[in-house]
């Protein structure tokens, strides 16, 4: 038998029992539509998640690792947290452990501090000095507007965030002026001028507050002489483009240089026994064996939550942008998976319906099968006939199911469906929620393929039974 003959016989047999065929196709249609709609809800959630991250300019590949806040006690003498013996600490060995984890691109300790800058006649007191390993800055994904990022071997070199230079003010200006400029507490659209071209102006820095206080001389307690002010030439090697609020006001430098300045401050304060000065110092003291924070960057945002969870299991706090949004999305996905499982059950029931229909067809057409064998029809032709019929039932059920899912998606996206209303928590967070359903072309194609495959598998055993019937016994049957 030719392929055309097999196709014609298949269609004739399907239309011979219209009601049974319709009901079987209806079962496949409902199951396919249910699964497509449930998957479309997950796809829409994922698309909204990515769009919200992009709109919020969040780097979802960056994880901030800290010591757990409730694992230690504050020591007022050391001005730092003290942790019990045996508590895992953020030291160099732990940073190397993070760096060796799967799906981690880099790990670097990060400390924050305060330094004082002068580019006469302007000055700046910066609370946002960030010390990192210079060689890893190229992997942080920060866009450079001018110059370059930090490199290994840089000493008193810094990279300014896009808005960090706004902190410069004329010597003698008041705090509110600096606060308004740095934190952008100005009407929207107001241009904020910068007084210093940081890439070209000569600049010095110091950990000593007196460096920016004109005319202030402090006598040493023991000798009565004037304590000299230590300062260092600064090389601004790069200026970043706007990226996110935290990086835009940060000044980056090598962590070892920042620690050196810290040690110099501590040594100077010890020399003059000036205890009150610690409250105005450049950087708070920390033991050399551990860090206050470690920055971990993963290779792709898909692995962020997984890596963060592994770090938490090691005993640390791990936070990343959008973490709370991820938790909400995860909760929504669990609900959608439950609904998808219900849809899958309906499709399994539809597959049983196809198998039942084809088995009944074998019993009803036993004489027809015997005649086909007697006149010379090949076993392969009989098998193809029943397999094609069951596959076509599955395919048409899938096709109509895709159409039904498109209609359902349109209803969900354009009408107020009570059970599909967005979570009020998202609105409180200022997150705009888009369409709840997203049916993509690849999803439609996959649904058609899956429905056809279900029909084909459901017809396998009926087709096998038809090929094993005895020709003479089949002809004698009524």
């Amino acid at each position: 038998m030719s392929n055309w003959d097999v196709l014609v016989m298949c269609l004739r047999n399907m239309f011979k029992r219209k009601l049974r065929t319709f009901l079987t196709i209806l079962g496949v249609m409902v199951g396919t539509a249910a699964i497509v709609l449930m998957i479309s809800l997950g796809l829409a959630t994922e698309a909204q998640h990515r769009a919200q991250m992009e709109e919020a300019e969040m780097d979802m590949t960056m994880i901030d690792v800290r010591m757990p806040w409730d694992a230690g006690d504050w020591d007022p003498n050391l001005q730092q947290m003290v942790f019990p013996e045996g508590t895992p600490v953020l030291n160099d060995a732990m940073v190397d452990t993070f760096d060796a984890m799967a799906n981690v691109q880099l790990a670097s300790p990060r400390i924050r501090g305060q330094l004082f800058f002068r580019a006469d006649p302007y000055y700046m007191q910066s609370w946002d000095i960030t010390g990192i390993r210079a060689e890893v800055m190229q992997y942080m994904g920060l866009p450079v507007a001018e110059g370059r990022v930090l490199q290994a071997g840089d000493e008193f070199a810094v990279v300014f965030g896009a808005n960090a230079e706004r902190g410069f003010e004329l010597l003698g200006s008041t705090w509110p002026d600096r606060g308004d400029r740095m934190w952008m507490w100005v009407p929207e659209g107001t241009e904020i001028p910068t007084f210093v071209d940081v890439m070209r102006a000569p600049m010095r820095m110091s950990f000593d507050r007196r460096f920016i206080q004109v005319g202030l001389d402090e006598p040493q307690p023991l000798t009565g002489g004037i304590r000299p002010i230590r300062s260092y030439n600064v090389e601004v090697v790069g200026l970043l483009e706007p990226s996110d609020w935290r990086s835009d006001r940060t000044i980056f430098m090598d962590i070892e240089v920042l620690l050196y300045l810290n040690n110099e401050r501590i040594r100077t304060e010890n020399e003059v026994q000036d205890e009150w000065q610690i409250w105005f110092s450049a950087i708070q003291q920390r033991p050399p064996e551990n860090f206050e924070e470690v920055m971990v960057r993963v290779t792709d945002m898909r692995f962020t939550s997984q890596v963060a969870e592994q770090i938490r299991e090691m005993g640390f706090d791990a936070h990343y942008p959008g973490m709370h949004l991820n938790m909400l999305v995860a909760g929504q996905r669990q609900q959608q998976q439950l609904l998808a499982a219900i849809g899958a059950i309906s499709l399994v029931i539809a597959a049983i319906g196809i198998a039942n229909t084809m088995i009944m067809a074998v019993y009803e057409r036993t004489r027809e099968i015997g005649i086909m064998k007697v006149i010379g029809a090949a076993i392969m032709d009989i098998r193809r006939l029943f397999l094609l019929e069951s596959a076509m039932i599955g395919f048409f059920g899938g096709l109509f199911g895709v159409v039904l899912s498109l209609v359902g998606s349109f209803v969900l996206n354009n009408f107020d469906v009570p059970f599909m209303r967005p979570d009020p928590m998202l609105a409180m967070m200022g997150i705009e929620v888009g369409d709840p359903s997203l049916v993509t072309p690849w999803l439609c194609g996959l649904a058609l393929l899956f429905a056809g495959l279900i029909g084909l598998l459901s017809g396998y055993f009926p087709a096998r039974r038809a090929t094993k019937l005895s020709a003479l016994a089949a002809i004698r049957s009524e």
Side-chain angles (χ1 to χ4, degrees):
M1 297 174 61
S2 66
N3 293 332
W4 176 254
D5 293 332
V6 173
L7 179 61
V8 170
M9 290 185 64
C10 176
L11 292 174
R12 186 175 65 241
N13 290 327
M14 288 178 61
F15 285 102
K16 185 183 297 183
R17 298 168 181 83
K18 299 182 180 63
L19 181 59
R20 182 191 299 171
T21 302
F22 169 75
L23 293 177
T24 307
I25 291 177
L26 182 62
V28 180
M29 179 181 70
V30 172
T32 302
I35 289 182
V36 171
L37 277 177
M38 295 307 106
I39 295 178
S40 75
L41 298 179
L43 293 177
T45 301
E46 185 70 23
Q48 292 171 21
H49 184 202
R50 291 183 177 273
Q52 289 157 4
M53 294 299 101
E54 293 174 358
E55 290 175 4
E57 297 182 343
M58 295 181 180
D59 186 358
M60 287 291 291
T61 63
M62 195 69 71
I63 304 173
D64 290 330
V65 183
R66 298 174 181 267
M67 295 293 295
W69 67 272
D70 57 348
D73 298 310
W74 176 259
D75 189 325
N77 296 321
L78 296 177
Q79 293 295 312
Q80 66 183 21
M81 294 292 292
V82 177
F83 299 95
E85 185 177 354
T87 303
V89 295
L90 293 175
N91 54 18
D92 289 321
M94 187 60 67
V95 173
D96 293 338
T97 300
F98 294 154
D99 200 26
M101 292 174 61
N103 303 315
V104 171
Q105 185 181 39
L106 62 91
S108 170
R110 177 165 57 188
I111 63 174
R112 302 184 188 278
Q114 175 181 245
L115 290 175
F116 307 93
F117 294 82
R118 283 186 64 165
D120 291 333
Y122 302 99
Y123 79 101
M124 176 171 61
Q125 177 181 358
S126 177
W127 289 269
D128 293 300
I129 307 298
T130 297
I132 59 174
R133 289 177 178 173
E135 62 271 17
V136 307
M137 191 175 182
Q138 60 181 314
Y139 303 109
M140 292 176 61
L142 298 173
V144 179
E146 187 175 357
R148 60 172 176 84
V149 296
L150 296 175
Q151 297 176 354
D154 284 340
E155 292 186 354
F156 292 98
V158 298
V159 173
F160 269 67
N163 299 331
E165 58 185 349
R166 293 178 179 175
F168 279 101
E169 279 290 349
L170 190 66
L171 284 167
S173 63
T174 59
W175 149 248
D177 297 333
R178 299 197 303 272
D180 288 347
R181 290 168 51 78
M182 176 58 71
W183 291 92
M184 297 173 287
W185 295 335
V186 294
E188 186 177 355
T190 302
E191 183 178 355
I192 303 177
T194 55
F195 299 138
V196 176
D197 184 352
V198 294
M199 291 296 296
R200 295 164 184 82
M203 191 182 309
R204 292 182 67 81
M205 70 179 176
S206 175
F207 51 79
D208 194 329
R209 184 182 183 85
R210 297 175 306 147
F211 185 62
I212 62 172
Q213 295 176 326
V214 180
L216 176 61
D217 295 325
E218 293 182 0
Q220 296 185 28
L222 299 180
T223 65
I226 302 301
R227 176 160 57 93
I229 299 175
R230 295 286 301 276
S231 64
Y232 307 86
N233 287 324
V234 181
E235 180 186 7
V236 181
V237 297
L239 178 64
L240 301 179
E241 292 182 354
S243 57
D244 62 81
W245 66 271
R246 185 170 61 180
S247 299
D248 287 351
R249 58 187 178 87
T250 298
I251 299 175
F252 296 91
M253 66 187 310
D254 186 89
I255 189 172
E256 296 301 328
V257 177
L258 200 52
L259 291 174
Y260 165 76
L261 294 174
N262 183 45
N263 293 331
E264 286 295 294
R265 173 189 59 78
I266 296 170
R267 184 183 62 81
T268 302
E269 290 173 354
N270 290 337
E271 287 178 356
V272 299
Q273 301 177 1
D274 197 357
E275 295 180 357
W276 65 268
Q277 180 68 15
I278 191 171
W279 300 103
F280 304 99
S281 58
I283 311 166
Q284 289 188 356
Q285 182 181 7
R286 73 161 182 87
E289 69 272 10
N290 62 73
F291 301 101
E292 58 192 57
E293 182 181 2
V294 173
M295 170 185 62
V296 176
R297 185 182 182 88
V298 299
T299 55
D300 191 276
M301 65 180 293
R302 294 175 299 170
F303 308 119
T304 304
S305 59
Q306 174 186 343
V307 173
E309 184 59 31
Q310 292 176 0
I311 293 174
R312 292 191 195 102
E313 292 175 355
M314 299 168 67
F316 302 102
D317 283 341
H319 298 274
Y320 54 91
M323 183 173 66
H324 298 293
L325 181 60
N326 270 352
M327 294 172 62
L328 292 175
V329 171
Q332 292 176 351
R333 285 178 180 170
Q334 289 180 354
Q335 296 177 358
Q336 292 157 9
Q337 289 172 359
L338 176 61
L339 295 175
I342 296 174
I345 292 174
S346 64
L347 192 58
V348 170
I349 294 174
I352 296 174
I354 295 176
N356 178 68
T357 298
M358 298 311 300
I359 290 175
M360 291 300 297
V362 171
Y363 281 114
E364 292 174 353
R365 292 152 56 186
T366 302
R367 185 178 181 84
E368 178 184 338
I369 295 170
I371 294 174
M372 290 173 60
K373 286 186 174 183
V374 169
I375 63 176
I379 298 296
M380 182 64 69
D381 293 332
I382 298 174
R383 182 183 293 115
R384 280 195 303 163
L385 176 63
F386 282 89
L387 288 178
L388 180 60
E389 187 173 336
S390 61
M392 289 184 68
I393 291 176
F395 175 80
F396 283 116
L399 180 63
F400 296 141
V402 168
V403 174
L404 181 60
S405 65
L406 291 172
V407 174
S409 178
F410 177 82
V411 172
L412 292 177
N413 293 338
N414 294 276
F415 296 92
D416 184 18
V417 181
F419 66 89
M420 290 302 299
R421 288 171 183 166
D423 193 325
M425 183 65 68
L426 298 177
M428 293 176 60
M429 297 172 61
I431 299 173
E432 183 179 354
V433 180
D435 293 338
S437 175
L438 175 63
V439 180
T440 61
W442 68 263
L443 179 58
C444 295
L446 186 62
L448 285 174
L449 179 63
F450 185 68
L453 183 61
I454 285 291
L456 190 64
L457 294 177
S458 301
Y460 172 75
F461 287 105
R464 185 169 180 269
R465 178 180 177 82
T467 58
K468 291 185 175 297
L469 285 176
S470 168
L472 294 179
I475 292 175
R476 286 198 301 266
S477 67
E478 295 296 335

